[in-house]
Amino acid sequence: MGHAKKEFIISEKERLLEEVPIVDEECDRDFIKAIIEMGGGDVQVCLQCGNCTGVCPVSLKTENKIRNIIKMCQMGLKEKVLSTPWVCATCHRCYEHCPAGMNPAELIVALRHIVVRELGPPPFVVSISNNVANLGQAIEISDKILDLRKKIGLNEKPFDERYRSKAIMDIRTIMRATGYDKLIGIDLGD
Amino acid sequence: MNSQTDAKVGVFICKCGANINSVVDCENVRGYASQLPGVTFSICNDYLCSPDGLSQMREEIRKSGVTSVVVAACTPRICEKIFRDNIEKAGLNRNMLHITNIREQCSWVHANEPFKATEKAKNLVKMGVSRAKTLVPAEGVDVELKQEVLVIGGGVAGVEAAYKLAELGFKVHLVERKPMLGGNMAAMFTCLLWCHEAPGKPQSLNFRFGTFPACDCSGCTIMPKLNDVITHPNINILLLSEVKEIVGHVGNFRVKVLKKPRYVDEKKCVGCGNCAVVCPVVKKNEYDYGLSERKAIFMPYQQALPRKYVIDKEACLRLKGQECSACLEACEFEAPNFEDHEQEIDLEVGAIIVATGFEPYKPRIHGYLGYQEYDNVITIMELERMLDKAGPTGGIVVRPSDRKIPKKIAFIQCVGSRNRKINAGYCSKVCCMYTMKNAQAIKEVHPETDITVYYIDIRAVGKGVEEFFHRTREDYGVEYTRGRPARIIEDKETKNLIVRAEETLLNKITERMYDLVVLSVSLVPSEGTQELASMLRLRTSPDGFIQEAHTRMKPVETSMEGIFVCGCAQGPKDVPESLAQARAAALEVAVLLSKKVAKAESLNAFIETEKCIGCGLCIDICPYGAPTPVMTESGMKMKITEALCKGCGTCVVSCPAKAIHARQFTDDQIFSEIKAALEAE
Ligand code: SF4
Ligand code: SF4
Ligand code: SF4
Ligand code: SF4
């Protein structure tokens, strides 16, 4: 990285805490083009008022502030931003409140597209996708739950297998048709 | 004159410096033009519209004895009048001119294809020459300019414009919807805090807070002006009045004004208020934003001018048909007049100034930030009224929920401004400053108050305003926090308010508790602006304010000749700006009317009476209301009022009998151009 070498002497401890300045090389201004292509077209609309962060349930609980993500996108801080987009509930509250009329939630979706295409899907996305393709739902029902259901006199499975298998076939057809299976790397057989 | 054969055309080609000449080969066009049949000469000039260019043009016209002129230059929108005036000076009829646009239509749009642009310019000149040969002289019509002016809106801008014009000797009709003059400025009467000895000691002796940045008292500044206007012999004030209909054109507008009954004789009432003491009806006072109560007979607020009482028709028992005459009995002067009725007043004026001002934005419509949901969320205008010593709370800022003095106050900026979901997203321009002013005013009375201002950006431009901002932070200790509040939550028991926002400069979400939240609301066009605009055929900008004719060069003119705009009707602005604009509008009116008689360009359509079948289609279709029916011996015929007609030609194509012709676009003229365009080389 191209930031100027520190000339003066600092202690080892301070060196560890040292905040590394952001330098030009990190700002990839073409990144905005990629975002726009993926459907996050209004990223430049944001005037950094902070309203979205104030209403965002995720920003309230984590260090990930949606306004910061938008700002980083505007600056083209691609590497920093690509680790963030999974921390969003896509609840669209930010969109409801934004006075500028930007849709930060769609930006997040665009970023997810970019991550999956450029860095590959994170493991949890693969496993969830596998579940959807094979079970028709994102989370597996554990044996414990199945046992419990039996014990209290419920149907063993909370759904009708006949309809479920039809639905799963449909889901798999969609996945094949859209190329989702290849993108995520799940094997649907033939 | 057989124009086709006798016509001698002179062609003037303007290079417009490099503007045209760098793309279009002007010399080439000139050579081509000189070969065209009927062309006596053609010349190029570097800047045809410059004094040198114009005088060369006149010389050539006189010398050569041409009968008509083709100018190949920029858009007629810019240069038409200049060139028509010029050929008139050279002795030709002003109608004998054709303008061909070889800048916008050639050099600008085809900048990358100089050859083709030049060919196109030649073609346009050829068409122009062909048309020029068919032109016939025409005289513009004389329009008498009525020496009276209508000013719509009695706020600071309207009052100023009316006063200046009245001083110049014009008769001015000042129409105001409310029962008093002064508009929004007169309601910001903070100065009285000092004049009437504020509770809590003011820190500085020159403590006056009316309008920023000088903080001079708006009341003390506007009252003398209002008095001047009220007593001016040239000003006819129509209160409680609305413009209902406007027809006519520059120099002669006919206006219908509806004057609602006051039910109190303006001449008799001395404003003593004895009537209100005895009136049994109590209502919330809308002029104090519901913070105070009033009677059915009332004065909007204490310093309202003129000091005349008014009866609220909806509230008055007597007017609702019940027994009551308490006010009449209490009034020494027998001013209450229950027989008062609506009047229609007809005016004839030469020019109109629109000064309808603004209204504070009411957040309730969009139900956000808790306004009218939580008691202790108020707008800045309500705060302004509270800060008025003669106002609803006697100059003390209180929480509406328990009338206690708030210790912690939050101001929220940009409520209704810079919000594309609510309007065009414009900045209201004055809210940053009125917040500073009011924060300072509160601190003067209650120095211990803790004030936070939530803002997106501080837009404090203008003379002395940045310093005003510093004073707010440094001398008064107001805290500024950057971030637009996301939510306001009310503590149900204490009625305190929790404001959640991101402090964007810290990247932290904050939740802070306040006793009172003040919304710094935006300025929106006053009610009825849209209707008035369509009545006057004025354009409005996307933000709903009246659109001026040209953003830079014609700041007070509108799309309609003879109608001007000033003050907040045109867009948010502060008092000095409104005043400056009002004076500018008054000057424009004075310049216009000082001629007494004006010549309208002979652009109009005319009707061949023999051909007219009296169907009246043109009446329906004309956007300017120019055609009117007249009774003749051979039945109903239409006639076009020349001064109203803009020459748009809509009626021409609508006429089934082909009886209407546009003077500047006769079939003859248009076909000659088409023929030239289609002719083989
Ligand atoms: S969509 Fe995502 S970023 Fe927007 S408010 Fe919901 S969780 Fe926050
Ligand atoms: S609310 Fe809109 S304008 Fe404000 S910071 Fe968020 S995205 Fe940007
Ligand atoms: S109406 Fe009569 S009593 Fe009422 S303010 Fe006027 S003069 Fe006084
Ligand atoms: S007549 Fe009407 S205004 Fe007069 S005192 Fe009675 S209610 Fe009030």
Side-chain angles (χ1 to χ4, degrees), chain B residues 15-211:
Chain B
K15 293 183 179 173
C16 197
N19 226 325
I20 296 174
N21 202 40
S22 64
V23 179
V24 172
D25 181 350
C26 289
E27 283 303 332
N28 187 339
V29 177
R30 191 199 62 75
Y32 171 81
S34 66
Q35 306 297 316
L36 292 169
V39 172
T40 306
F41 68 85
S42 63
I43 44 177
C44 283
N45 188 291
D46 275 344
Y47 292 100
L48 196 57
C49 62
S50 69
D52 289 349
L54 292 172
S55 83
Q56 189 198 5
M57 192 174 170
R58 289 196 299 270
E59 234 164 79
E60 293 292 340
I61 291 172
R62 285 200 198 104
K63 200 164 77 190
S64 63
V66 288
T67 52
S68 56
V69 167
V70 170
V71 166
C74 61
T75 167
R77 281 187 72 129
I78 298 177
C79 64
E80 179 167 359
K81 186 168 180 309
I82 304 168
F83 290 131
R84 281 196 198 283
D85 289 351
N86 202 45
I87 68 166
E88 203 168 36
K89 277 189 205 150
L92 281 179
N93 178 277
R94 62 191 287 110
N95 211 37
M96 304 307 282
L97 171 75
H98 176 90
I99 294 177
T100 281
N101 182 351
I102 61 166
R103 190 177 76 180
E104 280 83 345
Q105 291 177 7
C106 294
S107 73
W108 282 10
V109 279
H110 308 299
N112 297 326
E113 293 180 293
F115 177 73
K116 287 186 182 169
T118 305
E119 289 304 303
K120 184 175 174 185
K122 285 183 189 172
N123 273 323
L124 289 174
V125 169
K126 179 167 77 169
M127 291 160 68
V129 168
S130 179
R131 180 165 182 265
K133 289 192 275 187
T134 66
L135 293 174
V136 283
E139 288 306 325
V141 283
D142 281 344
V143 187
E144 188 216 336
L145 303 168
K146 288 249 150 54
Q147 298 297 300
E148 298 188 11
V149 185
L150 169 68
V151 176
I152 309 174
V156 52
V159 157
E160 180 71 12
Y163 182 68
K164 289 282 179 243
L165 284 166
E167 284 286 271
L168 280 169
F170 294 98
K171 170 112 186 131
V172 184
H173 306 278
L174 181 58
V175 171
E176 167 59 48
R177 248 183 328 155
K178 301 220 168 105
M180 73 290 177
L181 293 175
N184 283 302
M185 184 181 169
M188 298 180 187
F189 216 91
T190 321
C191 143
L192 286 188
L193 266 173
W194 170 245
C195 308
H196 292 235
E197 279 175 38
K201 265 221 268 22
Q203 292 176 333
S204 49
L205 271 177
N206 50 6
F207 173 50
R208 325 151 287 175
F209 283 92
T211 44

Side-chain angles (χ1 to χ4, degrees), chain A residues 45 47-51 53-56 59-60 63 65 67-68 93-102, chain B residues 417-421 455-457 482-487 500-509 511:
Chain A
V45 164
L47 40 83
Q48 292 289 305
C49 71
N51 200 336
T53 303
V55 290
C56 171
S59 293
L60 195 59
E63 278 304 306
K65 307 276 181 267
R67 181 188 57 81
N68 281 4
R93 268 196 189 194
C94 45
Y95 173 49
E96 298 290 351
H97 285 253
C98 172
M102 180 183 167
Chain B
S417 298
R418 305 183 72 192
N419 193 327
R420 295 188 203 172
K421 290 203 172 124
Y455 71 101
I456 307 178
D457 296 299
R482 193 187 175 285
R484 191 174 190 281
R487 294 189 66 187
R500 185 200 290 167
E502 185 193 4
E503 169 43 90
T504 62
L505 303 179
L506 280 180
N507 282 344
K508 293 278 181 233
I509 294 172
E511 277 187 4

Side-chain angles (χ1 to χ4, degrees), chain B residues 211-238:
Chain B
T211 44
F212 51 83
C215 286
D216 47 2
C217 157
S218 51
C220 303
T221 34
I222 199 174
M223 289 301 150
K225 183 126 280 162
L226 295 184
N227 273 320
D228 286 347
V229 165
I230 288 167
T231 52
H232 205 293
N234 282 348
I235 300 180
N236 169 27
I237 299 175
L238 296 165

